[in-house]
Amino acid sequence: MRKVITATVLTAGLLTSCVSKKKYVELEGQLNDTRSTLQKTQVEKEEIEEKYARIEERVADYNSKINSLRTENEGMMEMNDLTVMSKKTKEKMKTTIAKIDPEKVKGAETLEDSINLAVSYNLKQNISEGADADDIDINVDETVVMINVSDKLLFGSGSYRVTKEAQPLLKKLAEVINSEPAMEVMIEGHTDDRTMVKESYLQDNWDLSVRRATSIVRILQDKYNVDPSKLIAAGRSSYQPLVDNTNKDNMAKNRRTRIVIIPNLDKFFAMLESEGTMADTE
Protein backbone atom coordinates (compact mmCIF):
# COMPACT_ATOMS: atom_id res chain seq x y z
CA MET A 1 0.00 0.00 0.00
CA ARG A 2 2.80 2.44 0.90
CA LYS A 3 4.42 1.66 -2.45
CA VAL A 4 1.20 2.58 -4.34
CA ILE A 5 0.82 5.90 -2.51
CA THR A 6 4.47 6.74 -3.09
CA ALA A 7 4.08 6.04 -6.84
CA THR A 8 0.97 8.22 -7.06
CA VAL A 9 2.69 11.17 -5.38
CA LEU A 10 5.67 10.83 -7.69
CA THR A 11 3.41 10.73 -10.76
CA ALA A 12 1.52 13.88 -9.65
CA GLY A 13 4.80 15.63 -9.03
CA LEU A 14 6.04 14.75 -12.48
CA LEU A 15 2.80 15.98 -14.16
CA THR A 16 2.93 19.28 -12.26
CA SER A 17 6.51 19.83 -13.22
CA CYS A 18 5.61 19.42 -16.92
CA VAL A 19 3.97 22.94 -16.93
CA SER A 20 6.35 25.62 -15.77
CA LYS A 21 5.17 28.44 -13.57
CA LYS A 22 5.87 30.98 -16.31
CA LYS A 23 3.72 29.07 -18.81
CA TYR A 24 0.99 28.65 -16.25
CA VAL A 25 0.91 32.40 -15.57
CA GLU A 26 0.82 33.09 -19.31
CA LEU A 27 -2.10 30.73 -19.88
CA GLU A 28 -3.93 32.15 -16.88
CA GLY A 29 -3.47 35.66 -18.34
CA GLN A 30 -4.83 34.53 -21.69
CA LEU A 31 -7.82 32.98 -19.95
CA ASN A 32 -8.52 36.21 -18.09
CA ASP A 33 -8.21 38.23 -21.34
CA THR A 34 -10.60 35.87 -23.06
CA ARG A 35 -13.10 36.20 -20.21
CA SER A 36 -12.78 40.01 -20.34
CA THR A 37 -13.28 40.08 -24.13
CA LEU A 38 -16.28 37.78 -23.85
CA GLN A 39 -17.84 40.00 -21.19
CA LYS A 40 -17.22 43.12 -23.29
CA THR A 41 -18.71 41.44 -26.36
CA GLN A 42 -21.77 40.44 -24.37
CA VAL A 43 -22.26 44.05 -23.20
CA GLU A 44 -21.86 45.35 -26.77
CA LYS A 45 -24.33 42.75 -28.03
CA GLU A 46 -26.90 43.85 -25.47
CA GLU A 47 -26.36 47.52 -26.40
CA ILE A 48 -26.80 46.73 -30.11
CA GLU A 49 -29.96 44.75 -29.41
CA GLU A 50 -31.34 47.71 -27.45
CA LYS A 51 -30.50 50.15 -30.26
CA TYR A 52 -32.04 47.82 -32.86
CA ALA A 53 -35.20 47.51 -30.78
CA ARG A 54 -35.45 51.31 -30.55
CA ILE A 55 -34.94 51.63 -34.33
CA GLU A 56 -37.63 49.03 -34.99
CA GLU A 57 -39.96 50.95 -32.70
CA ARG A 58 -39.25 54.22 -34.55
CA VAL A 59 -39.76 52.57 -37.96
CA ALA A 60 -43.07 51.13 -36.81
CA ASP A 61 -44.08 54.58 -35.55
CA TYR A 62 -43.12 56.22 -38.87
CA ASN A 63 -45.02 53.57 -40.85
CA SER A 64 -48.05 54.17 -38.69
CA LYS A 65 -47.85 57.93 -39.30
CA ILE A 66 -47.36 57.42 -43.06
CA ASN A 67 -50.37 55.12 -43.26
CA SER A 68 -52.40 57.62 -41.26
CA LEU A 69 -51.36 60.49 -43.55
CA ARG A 70 -52.04 58.39 -46.65
CA THR A 71 -55.53 57.58 -45.43
CA GLU A 72 -56.13 61.22 -44.54
CA ASN A 73 -54.80 62.37 -47.93
CA GLU A 74 -57.01 59.91 -49.80
CA GLY A 75 -59.95 61.23 -47.85
CA MET A 76 -58.97 64.80 -48.72
CA MET A 77 -58.62 63.90 -52.39
CA GLU A 78 -62.10 62.42 -52.39
CA MET A 79 -63.35 65.54 -50.65
CA ASN A 80 -61.53 67.75 -53.16
CA ASP A 81 -63.08 65.87 -56.06
CA LEU A 82 -66.54 66.34 -54.66
CA THR A 83 -66.55 69.70 -52.91
CA VAL A 84 -63.75 71.97 -54.15
CA MET A 85 -65.39 72.51 -57.53
CA SER A 86 -67.66 75.51 -57.52
CA LYS A 87 -71.16 75.31 -58.99
CA LYS A 88 -69.97 77.45 -61.90
CA THR A 89 -67.05 75.09 -62.59
CA LYS A 90 -69.33 72.05 -62.46
CA GLU A 91 -71.64 73.66 -65.02
CA LYS A 92 -68.68 74.46 -67.26
CA MET A 93 -67.48 70.88 -66.98
CA LYS A 94 -70.91 69.56 -68.03
CA THR A 95 -70.98 71.96 -70.97
CA THR A 96 -67.48 70.90 -72.03
CA ILE A 97 -68.21 67.17 -71.75
CA ALA A 98 -71.29 67.64 -73.94
CA LYS A 99 -68.95 68.72 -76.76
CA ILE A 100 -66.64 65.70 -76.46
CA ASP A 101 -66.85 62.53 -78.53
CA PRO A 102 -69.39 60.28 -76.73
CA GLU A 103 -67.07 57.28 -77.13
CA LYS A 104 -64.39 59.06 -75.10
CA VAL A 105 -66.94 60.12 -72.48
CA LYS A 106 -67.97 56.48 -72.03
CA GLY A 107 -64.45 55.69 -70.89
CA ALA A 108 -64.66 58.23 -68.05
CA GLU A 109 -65.71 56.00 -65.16
CA THR A 110 -65.03 58.39 -62.26
CA LEU A 111 -65.39 62.09 -61.52
CA GLU A 112 -61.61 62.42 -61.80
CA ASP A 113 -61.74 60.86 -65.29
CA SER A 114 -64.41 63.37 -66.31
CA ILE A 115 -62.39 66.30 -64.97
CA ASN A 116 -59.27 65.10 -66.81
CA LEU A 117 -61.26 64.71 -70.01
CA ALA A 118 -62.72 68.21 -69.73
CA VAL A 119 -59.33 69.80 -68.97
CA SER A 120 -57.72 67.98 -71.92
CA TYR A 121 -60.46 69.09 -74.29
CA ASN A 122 -60.37 72.75 -73.18
CA LEU A 123 -56.60 72.94 -73.39
CA LYS A 124 -56.53 71.39 -76.85
CA GLN A 125 -59.16 73.83 -78.10
CA ASN A 126 -57.21 76.76 -76.70
CA ILE A 127 -53.67 75.97 -77.76
CA SER A 128 -54.20 74.15 -81.07
CA GLU A 129 -55.84 77.04 -82.93
CA GLY A 130 -54.63 76.98 -86.54
CA ALA A 131 -52.81 73.65 -86.10
CA ASP A 132 -53.72 70.22 -87.39
CA ALA A 133 -55.54 68.38 -84.59
CA ASP A 134 -53.40 65.29 -85.25
CA ASP A 135 -50.24 67.26 -84.45
CA ILE A 136 -51.26 67.82 -80.82
CA ASP A 137 -52.25 65.20 -78.29
CA ILE A 138 -53.17 66.08 -74.69
CA ASN A 139 -53.55 63.71 -71.74
CA VAL A 140 -54.14 64.41 -68.06
CA ASP A 141 -53.05 61.96 -65.38
CA GLU A 142 -53.60 62.85 -61.71
CA THR A 143 -53.51 66.61 -62.43
CA VAL A 144 -50.33 66.36 -64.54
CA VAL A 145 -51.02 67.63 -68.06
CA MET A 146 -48.95 66.05 -70.86
CA ILE A 147 -49.01 67.71 -74.28
CA ASN A 148 -47.32 65.88 -77.16
CA VAL A 149 -46.59 68.12 -80.16
CA SER A 150 -45.41 66.58 -83.43
CA ASP A 151 -41.98 67.39 -84.81
CA LYS A 152 -43.30 68.81 -88.09
CA LEU A 153 -45.26 71.55 -86.32
CA LEU A 154 -42.28 72.82 -84.31
CA PHE A 155 -39.07 72.14 -86.24
CA GLY A 156 -37.58 71.49 -89.65
CA SER A 157 -35.98 68.11 -90.31
CA GLY A 158 -32.87 67.65 -88.18
CA SER A 159 -33.11 71.24 -86.91
CA TYR A 160 -33.65 72.81 -83.49
CA ARG A 161 -34.83 76.17 -84.87
CA VAL A 162 -38.51 76.71 -84.04
CA THR A 163 -40.74 77.36 -87.07
CA LYS A 164 -42.95 80.43 -87.51
CA GLU A 165 -45.97 78.12 -87.68
CA ALA A 166 -45.30 77.08 -84.06
CA GLN A 167 -45.52 80.61 -82.64
CA PRO A 168 -49.34 80.70 -82.14
CA LEU A 169 -49.13 77.41 -80.23
CA LEU A 170 -46.29 78.65 -78.00
CA LYS A 171 -48.12 81.94 -77.40
CA LYS A 172 -51.25 80.11 -76.25
CA LEU A 173 -49.15 77.74 -74.14
CA ALA A 174 -47.44 80.72 -72.47
CA GLU A 175 -50.85 82.23 -71.66
CA VAL A 176 -51.91 78.99 -69.98
CA ILE A 177 -48.66 78.85 -67.97
CA ASN A 178 -48.81 82.52 -66.99
CA SER A 179 -52.45 82.21 -65.88
CA GLU A 180 -51.44 80.01 -62.93
CA PRO A 181 -48.42 81.12 -60.82
CA ALA A 182 -48.09 77.73 -59.14
CA MET A 183 -47.41 75.82 -62.35
CA GLU A 184 -44.13 74.16 -63.28
CA VAL A 185 -43.51 73.19 -66.90
CA MET A 186 -41.03 70.67 -68.30
CA ILE A 187 -40.21 70.71 -72.01
CA GLU A 188 -38.92 67.32 -73.23
CA GLY A 189 -37.33 66.77 -76.63
CA HIS A 190 -37.72 63.33 -78.24
CA THR A 191 -36.20 61.99 -81.48
CA ASP A 192 -36.30 58.87 -83.63
CA ASP A 193 -33.31 56.50 -83.60
CA ARG A 194 -31.58 57.60 -86.81
CA THR A 195 -27.93 58.57 -86.38
CA MET A 196 -26.67 62.05 -87.18
CA VAL A 197 -24.84 62.81 -90.41
CA LYS A 198 -21.08 62.62 -89.90
CA GLU A 199 -19.39 65.96 -89.15
CA SER A 200 -22.82 67.51 -88.51
CA TYR A 201 -23.08 70.50 -86.21
CA LEU A 202 -25.15 68.18 -83.99
CA GLN A 203 -23.24 65.53 -82.08
CA ASP A 204 -26.06 62.99 -81.68
CA ASN A 205 -29.77 62.62 -80.81
CA TRP A 206 -29.06 63.65 -77.22
CA ASP A 207 -27.70 66.92 -78.54
CA LEU A 208 -30.68 67.47 -80.87
CA SER A 209 -33.34 66.64 -78.25
CA VAL A 210 -31.80 68.94 -75.63
CA ARG A 211 -31.33 71.83 -78.09
CA ARG A 212 -34.96 71.55 -79.18
CA ALA A 213 -36.15 71.70 -75.58
CA THR A 214 -33.98 74.72 -74.75
CA SER A 215 -35.09 76.49 -77.95
CA ILE A 216 -38.71 76.33 -76.82
CA VAL A 217 -37.83 77.30 -73.26
CA ARG A 218 -36.00 80.41 -74.49
CA ILE A 219 -38.96 81.49 -76.63
CA LEU A 220 -41.38 81.04 -73.73
CA GLN A 221 -39.07 83.06 -71.48
CA ASP A 222 -37.81 85.78 -73.86
CA LYS A 223 -40.75 86.30 -76.20
CA TYR A 224 -43.76 85.41 -74.06
CA ASN A 225 -42.50 86.42 -70.59
CA VAL A 226 -42.84 83.08 -68.84
CA ASP A 227 -41.00 83.09 -65.49
CA PRO A 228 -37.83 81.01 -66.13
CA SER A 229 -37.94 79.59 -62.60
CA LYS A 230 -41.08 77.68 -63.69
CA LEU A 231 -39.40 76.10 -66.72
CA ILE A 232 -37.40 72.87 -67.04
CA ALA A 233 -35.62 71.82 -70.27
CA ALA A 234 -34.92 68.11 -70.83
CA GLY A 235 -33.76 65.89 -73.67
CA ARG A 236 -34.74 62.21 -73.94
CA SER A 237 -32.99 61.41 -77.24
CA SER A 238 -34.58 58.33 -78.87
CA TYR A 239 -34.91 56.26 -75.72
CA GLN A 240 -38.61 56.75 -74.96
CA PRO A 241 -40.33 55.97 -78.29
CA LEU A 242 -44.10 55.84 -78.54
CA VAL A 243 -43.82 53.08 -81.16
CA ASP A 244 -41.02 51.02 -82.72
CA ASN A 245 -38.90 52.92 -85.23
CA THR A 246 -39.67 50.44 -88.01
CA ASN A 247 -41.02 52.80 -90.69
CA LYS A 248 -41.32 56.49 -91.61
CA ASP A 249 -44.76 56.93 -90.01
CA ASN A 250 -43.60 55.48 -86.71
CA MET A 251 -40.44 57.58 -86.75
CA ALA A 252 -42.57 60.69 -87.31
CA LYS A 253 -44.65 59.80 -84.23
CA ASN A 254 -41.52 59.42 -82.11
CA ARG A 255 -40.09 62.79 -83.23
CA ARG A 256 -42.01 64.99 -80.84
CA THR A 257 -41.81 67.50 -78.04
CA ARG A 258 -43.60 66.66 -74.82
CA ILE A 259 -44.74 69.53 -72.62
CA VAL A 260 -45.48 68.44 -69.06
CA ILE A 261 -47.49 70.91 -66.98
CA ILE A 262 -47.51 70.28 -63.23
CA PRO A 263 -50.10 72.54 -61.60
CA ASN A 264 -50.74 73.02 -57.92
CA LEU A 265 -53.67 70.76 -56.99
CA ASP A 266 -55.64 73.72 -55.63
CA LYS A 267 -55.24 75.49 -58.98
CA PHE A 268 -55.99 72.50 -61.16
CA PHE A 269 -59.73 73.02 -61.40
CA ALA A 270 -59.17 76.56 -62.71
CA MET A 271 -57.97 74.96 -65.94
CA LEU A 272 -61.54 73.87 -66.57
CA GLU A 273 -62.32 77.53 -67.08
CA SER A 274 -59.32 78.17 -69.31
CA GLU A 275 -61.52 79.47 -72.12
CA GLY A 276 -62.66 82.33 -69.92
CA THR A 277 -59.13 82.93 -68.63
CA MET A 278 -57.74 83.06 -72.17
CA ALA A 279 -60.42 85.49 -73.24
CA ASP A 280 -59.55 87.79 -70.34
CA THR A 281 -55.88 87.85 -71.31
CA GLU A 282 -56.47 88.79 -74.95
Side-chain angles (χ1 to χ4, degrees), residues 84-118:
V84 168
M85 292 174 64
S86 66
K87 184 177 180 181
K88 179 182 177 182
T89 301
K90 288 178 183 177
E91 290 302 319
K92 279 188 172 288
M93 190 178 78
K94 290 178 182 178
T95 302
T96 299
I97 289 177
K99 301 174 186 177
I100 301 172
D101 182 350
E103 289 301 315
K104 291 184 178 180
V105 175
K106 283 182 183 178
E109 298 178 352
T110 65
L111 178 59
E112 182 182 0
D113 292 340
S114 298
I115 292 168
N116 291 346
L117 198 61

Side-chain angles (χ1 to χ4, degrees), residues 189-204:
H190 295 258
T191 70
D192 59 33
D193 65 350
R194 289 180 297 177
T195 56
M196 292 291 149
V197 177
K198 287 185 178 180
E199 298 182 1
S200 167
Y201 66 98
L202 293 168
Q203 184 175 345
D204 52 25

Side-chain angles (χ1 to χ4, degrees), residues 191-193 238 240-256:
T191 70
D192 59 33
D193 65 350
S238 60
Q240 287 199 338
L242 295 174
V243 290
D244 292 335
N245 288 290
T246 52
N247 55 58
K248 289 184 177 180
D249 289 340
N250 282 5
M251 287 181 175
K253 290 178 182 178
N254 291 330
R255 294 191 303 271
R256 68 199 189 279

Side-chain angles (χ1 to χ4, degrees), residues 70-84:
R70 184 180 288 123
T71 303
E72 182 179 343
N73 187 52
E74 288 172 355
M76 288 297 293
M77 284 293 292
E78 290 174 4
M79 218 168 72
N80 280 338
D81 283 347
L82 297 173
T83 64
V84 168

Side-chain angles (χ1 to χ4, degrees), residues 22-195:
K22 181 180 179 182
K23 186 67 175 178
Y24 178 80
V25 170
E26 182 182 342
L27 290 173
E28 189 175 34
Q30 290 178 359
L31 177 61
N32 290 335
D33 289 344
T34 302
R35 286 173 176 168
S36 177
T37 301
L38 180 62
Q39 186 176 7
K40 183 179 178 181
T41 302
Q42 183 66 29
V43 171
E44 289 176 349
K45 177 176 176 289
E46 291 174 358
E47 289 177 351
I48 291 170
E49 286 177 346
E50 288 178 8
K51 287 181 181 178
Y52 183 71
R54 287 198 297 270
I55 290 170
E56 280 192 323
E57 187 178 344
R58 288 171 63 188
V59 169
D61 184 48
Y62 286 147
N63 285 334
S64 176
K65 287 179 179 178
I66 289 169
N67 291 332
S68 177
L69 288 170
R70 184 180 288 123
T71 303
E72 182 179 343
N73 187 52
E74 288 172 355
M76 288 297 293
M77 284 293 292
E78 290 174 4
M79 218 168 72
N80 280 338
D81 283 347
L82 297 173
T83 64
V84 168
M85 292 174 64
S86 66
K87 184 177 180 181
K88 179 182 177 182
T89 301
K90 288 178 183 177
E91 290 302 319
K92 279 188 172 288
M93 190 178 78
K94 290 178 182 178
T95 302
T96 299
I97 289 177
K99 301 174 186 177
I100 301 172
D101 182 350
E103 289 301 315
K104 291 184 178 180
V105 175
K106 283 182 183 178
E109 298 178 352
T110 65
L111 178 59
E112 182 182 0
D113 292 340
S114 298
I115 292 168
N116 291 346
L117 198 61
V119 170
S120 299
Y121 179 85
N122 272 352
L123 279 175
K124 189 165 186 175
Q125 295 303 306
N126 283 321
I127 70 174
S128 63
E129 184 179 340
D132 189 331
D134 293 335
D135 289 335
I136 299 173
D137 180 57
I138 300 177
N139 291 296
V140 182
D141 183 15
E142 294 183 359
T143 78
V144 176
V145 180
M146 288 166 283
I147 306 170
N148 282 302
V149 185
S150 70
D151 176 71
K152 67 179 182 178
L153 179 60
L154 295 172
F155 306 100
S157 178
S159 172
Y160 61 86
R161 291 178 176 82
V162 180
T163 64
K164 291 182 180 179
E165 291 75 18
Q167 296 303 319
L169 167 66
L170 297 181
K171 182 176 182 291
K172 290 288 188 181
L173 177 63
E175 289 173 354
V176 171
I177 298 169
N178 288 334
S179 70
E180 294 298 340
M183 280 185 185
E184 285 189 350
V185 181
M186 181 164 64
I187 312 297
E188 288 182 351
H190 295 258
T191 70
D192 59 33
D193 65 350
R194 289 180 297 177
T195 56

